[in-house]
């Protein structure tokens, strides 16, 4: 039937989510066509979103949804929507994951827990245990920016930072870590979001030098362009 894991480039988070989304029996039968198509489109959509190419992102998400819809399984579609919402949280897009919520009643417990985590909601211990491993540390009560250091995967680290920010637990070090992570990967969309947040905080603190330095970084990123 379906392989238990997928290799989404540069992202353990994406691998975990898409792996769950495509989870099933790890036996020998060939991969179904819809699975291969959904895998390819979701990966391209993630890459396009992080790089700021909205046109390609929209097209590939639509293709991925269409392929998953061929299965007639809303639980799989819910997992796909969570993948997109996770990328948005990493880029500080703070809004309800409405596409998932429309499918929540058919989603499994791990997906419901993950959606609540992405929204910055406090989770009970049993729900924390259902999260992807990289997210469990930041979901623990009282956790802060120090928990980000234990997350090796860049996208997972950015998602965790976004969750901390929504929960009001992102200290300056956490914000700097998120900015540096997006910068190292060349992910234009989340980098702009985290840099602009730093600009706002520097201005609020009256640190004109820091604000100007950060604006120069913003100006460099803007030169990269990207389709909005």
């Amino acid at each position: 039937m379906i392989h238990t894991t997928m290799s989404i480039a540069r992202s353990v988070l994406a691998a975990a989510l898409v792996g769950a989304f495509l989870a099933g029996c790890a036996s020998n039968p060939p991969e179904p066509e819809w699975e291969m198509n959904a895998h390819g489109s979701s990966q391209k959509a993630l890459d396009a979103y992080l790089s700021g190419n909205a046109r390609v992102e929209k097209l590939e998400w639509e293709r991925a949804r269409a392929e998953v819809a061929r299965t007639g399984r809303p639980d799989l579609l819910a997992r796909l929507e969570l993948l997109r919402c996770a990328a948005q949280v990493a880029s500080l897009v703070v809004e309800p994951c409405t596409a998932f919520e429309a499918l929540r009643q058919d989603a499994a417990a791990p997906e419901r827990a993950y959606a609540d985590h992405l929204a910055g909601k406090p989770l009970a211990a049993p729900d924390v245990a259902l999260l992807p491993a990289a997210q469990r540390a930041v979901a623990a009560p009282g956790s802060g920016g120090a928990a980000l250091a234990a997350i090796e995967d860049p996208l997972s680290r950015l998602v965790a930072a976004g969750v901390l920010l929504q929960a009001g637990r992102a200290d300056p070090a956490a914000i700097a870590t998120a900015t540096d992570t997006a910068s190292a990967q060349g992910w234009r969309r989340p980098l702009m979001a985290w840099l602009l947040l730093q600009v706002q905080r520097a201005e609020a603190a009256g640190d004109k030098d820091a604000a100007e330095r950060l604006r120069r970084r913003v100006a460099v990123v803007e030169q990269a362009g990207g389709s909005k």
Side-chain angles (χ1 to χ4, degrees), residues 17 37 50 58 66 82 85 95 121 125 136 147-148 157 165 193 210:
L17 288 177
N37 293 342
L50 294 170
K58 181 177 184 295
L82 275 183
C85 289
E95 60 185 34
K121 298 178 181 179
R136 292 172 195 158
L148 295 180
R157 194 183 309 130
L165 186 68

Side-chain angles (χ1 to χ4, degrees), residues 39-171:
H39 172 208
S41 289
S42 60
Q43 179 173 339
K44 291 175 184 176
L46 271 179
D47 290 342
Y49 181 82
L50 294 170
S51 66
N53 192 330
R55 181 183 62 81
V56 173
E57 173 218 347
K58 181 177 184 295
L59 179 63
E60 295 300 339
W61 280 127
E62 289 174 351
R63 287 175 174 169
R65 288 192 191 96
E67 292 299 328
V68 178
R70 291 169 57 184
T71 68
R73 291 184 55 182
D75 59 322
L76 295 184
L77 196 57
R79 292 171 184 172
L80 180 66
E81 295 299 347
L82 275 183
L83 180 61
R84 185 178 190 183
C85 289
Q88 291 175 332
V89 168
S91 304
L92 300 186
V93 177
V94 181
E95 60 185 34
C97 189
T98 53
F100 170 82
E101 292 303 326
L103 301 162
R104 178 182 279 268
Q105 63 182 346
D106 292 306
E111 281 71 50
R112 295 196 300 269
Y114 196 79
D116 291 341
H117 174 68
L118 292 178
K121 298 178 181 179
L123 301 182
D127 289 330
V128 171
L130 297 176
L131 296 176
Q135 300 299 315
R136 292 172 195 158
V138 298
S143 64
L148 295 180
I151 301 177
E152 296 183 1
D153 174 69
L155 184 53
S156 297
R157 194 183 309 130
L158 277 177
V159 172
V163 168
L164 287 176
L165 186 68
Q166 289 192 74
R169 292 186 279 124
D171 56 22

